[in-house]
Amino acid sequence: MRDFVLERPQSIPEALDILKKAGGRAMVKSGGTDLIVWLHRSLVNPDCVIDLTKIEQLKGIGLSNGRIEIKALATLNEVASNPAVGEKLPALFQACMAHSDPLIRNRATVVGNVCSAVPSGDVIAPLLCYGAMVEITGPSGDRTLRIGDFITGPKKTALAADEIVTAIKIALPEGKSAGCYIKISRREALDIAQAAVCCTAFESVTREFRISFCAVSPRPVRATEAERLLNGATKMDDGIVEAAAKLAIEAVDPITDVRASREYRLAMIEELTRRAIKSCVEKLEAGGPS
Ligand SMILES: Cc1cc2nc3c(=O)[nH]c(=O)nc-3n(C[C@H](O)[C@H](O)[C@H](O)COP(=O)(O)OP(=O)(O)OC[C@H]3O[C@@H](n4cnc5c(N)ncnc54)[C@H](O)[C@@H]3O)c2cc1C
């Protein structure tokens, strides 16, 4: 590991000032559960690490006007134990609980998971299904991006070198809804996904299904053809679910790596999509949100 300067700013303007002065040679740290590993392995070599954990404005979870604001330092455990997440965003709750183990979840942040932008990031798929927006601040002011536009490739985001993410905002679903995140990995804890599927369903005048994935595509994708089939169905029977599960495979492009082969991942996506859709339909029919 190369030497670096550690900065601990107390405010967002101070953090942005340090970032600007570092001219692209600094990285910010939230929980550090990815960054410290990368530093140890010399996968990244910044001159300066900016630890955000002293910045009060970046802490906590807010709720107003039907929107939840997950601030940059909110940990996986804080998010999972928030009542609004448990009640209205069950797929995000399940993804948080599928992440690592209780110790890591006390340190790792939801925003850090998104900024790492690794294809196996657990919270990314539910955030995509729930239409999450990424709040960014930098020297030229604030901007907001959809999560699907924020992550541009494996470990790549649309964030400029002098910007930080301050929060993720999600409009809480109104009315009946259901959500489900199913992950498979080689063991139950402390392992990243071989594959995972997220399905959400929202019911107002019509039903709207959304399906996304983890660890099977270079950047976040939704199974739009499968969603179209489900959304247009007048009756939800096994044939429709089967057809949607097959269409889901066409949306992904998994690789073979140490965790699983491409073929295994494709087979799992079909099976997990089938289970996730059925789970959402059952929950809706039982009277969601759940
Ligand atoms: C033992 C272990 C088990 C793990 N298991 C899982 C798992 O099951 N599932 C999973 O998805 N991940 C897992 N991870 C990976 C990691 O915990 C997550 O990606 C975590 O959510 C990252 O959050 P963090 O706060 O620790 O990010 P950090 O390590 O602090 O940062 C990660 C990246 O995001 C950037 N960043 C962080 N915050 C901001 C910000 N506010 N603005 C701009 N950029 C920012 C950093 O510069 C860095 O590039 C595991 C890691 C370990 C060590």
Side-chain angles (χ1 to χ4, degrees):
M1 182 167 63
R2 233 176 109 238
D3 285 352
F4 55 83
V5 174
L6 178 66
E7 297 278 6
R8 309 191 86 185
Q10 309 273 332
S11 68
I12 295 173
E14 200 188 329
L16 293 181
D17 196 42
I18 300 167
L19 263 182
K20 194 173 173 198
K21 284 186 183 137
R25 293 292 310 153
M27 288 184 82
V28 303
K29 174 194 145 307
S30 290
T33 61
D34 273 326
L35 185 66
I36 301 295
V37 175
W38 299 343
L39 287 167
H40 270 284
R41 293 186 186 159
S42 297
L43 296 174
V44 292
N45 296 295
D47 292 340
C48 172
V49 170
I50 305 171
D51 181 2
L52 301 178
T53 56
K54 296 272 179 222
I55 304 178
E56 289 301 320
Q57 294 147 281
L58 296 179
K59 294 184 183 171
I61 297 170
L63 201 57
S64 69
N65 301 327
R67 297 179 86 80
I68 191 163
E69 181 183 19
I70 299 171
K71 295 192 188 168
L73 292 172
T75 64
L76 274 295
N77 271 348
E78 273 177 82
V79 173
S81 58
N82 184 282
V85 173
E87 192 191 334
K88 297 281 194 179
L89 307 171
L92 178 60
F93 167 81
Q94 289 171 1
C96 288
M97 296 308 288
H99 184 295
S100 63
D101 72 359
L103 293 179
I104 298 286
R105 290 199 292 270
N106 264 339
R107 188 160 276 277
T109 63
V110 163
V111 166
N113 199 241
V114 171
C115 291
S116 286
V118 293
S120 57
D122 275 307
V123 303
I124 296 167
L127 291 177
L128 191 65
C129 283
Y130 287 124
M133 306 297 287
V134 182
E135 302 282 322
I136 297 166
T137 191
S140 8
D142 301 339
R143 62 188 181 115
T144 304
L145 286 178
R146 288 173 202 281
I147 189 149
D149 297 327
F150 178 77
I151 297 176
T152 54
K155 288 196 178 181
K156 290 198 174 72
T157 69
L159 201 65
D162 54 5
E163 292 179 315
I164 64 166
V165 173
T166 53
I168 284 171
K169 284 192 181 162
I170 306 169
L172 295 174
E174 289 173 4
K176 272 169 82 171
S177 64
C180 174
Y181 181 75
I182 314 177
K183 167 179 175 176
I184 50 156
S185 49
R186 292 167 303 175
R187 52 174 199 252
E188 290 224 342
L190 283 177
D191 202 1
I192 59 173
Q194 292 172 307
V197 172
C198 179
C199 181
T200 56
F202 309 96
E203 199 163 79
S204 52
V205 182
T206 54
R207 263 188 195 176
E208 187 193 351
F209 284 85
R210 295 181 190 164
I211 299 171
S212 64
F213 312 95
C214 167
V216 287
S217 58
R219 57 180 290 197
V221 288
R222 285 200 11 218
T224 47
E225 290 303 319
E227 291 173 1
R228 215 184 319 273
L229 180 74
L230 294 169
N231 295 341
T234 45
K235 188 164 164 277
M236 192 59 63
D237 57 22
D238 283 351
I240 295 284
V241 176
E242 279 306 309
K246 293 216 180 311
L247 281 174
I249 294 177
E250 289 170 25
V252 300
D253 186 16
I255 56 166
T256 293
D257 65 11
V258 289
R259 289 188 177 79
S261 66
R262 173 181 168 85
E263 293 69 26
Y264 179 74
R265 287 187 155 113
L266 288 172
M268 287 303 102
I269 287 301
E270 183 176 341
E271 176 56 26
L272 298 182
T273 303
R274 194 179 289 130
R275 290 188 206 172
I277 297 169
K278 284 186 175 170
S279 162
C280 281
V281 172
E282 277 167 21
K283 285 172 186 165
L284 274 186
E285 282 165 10
S290 63

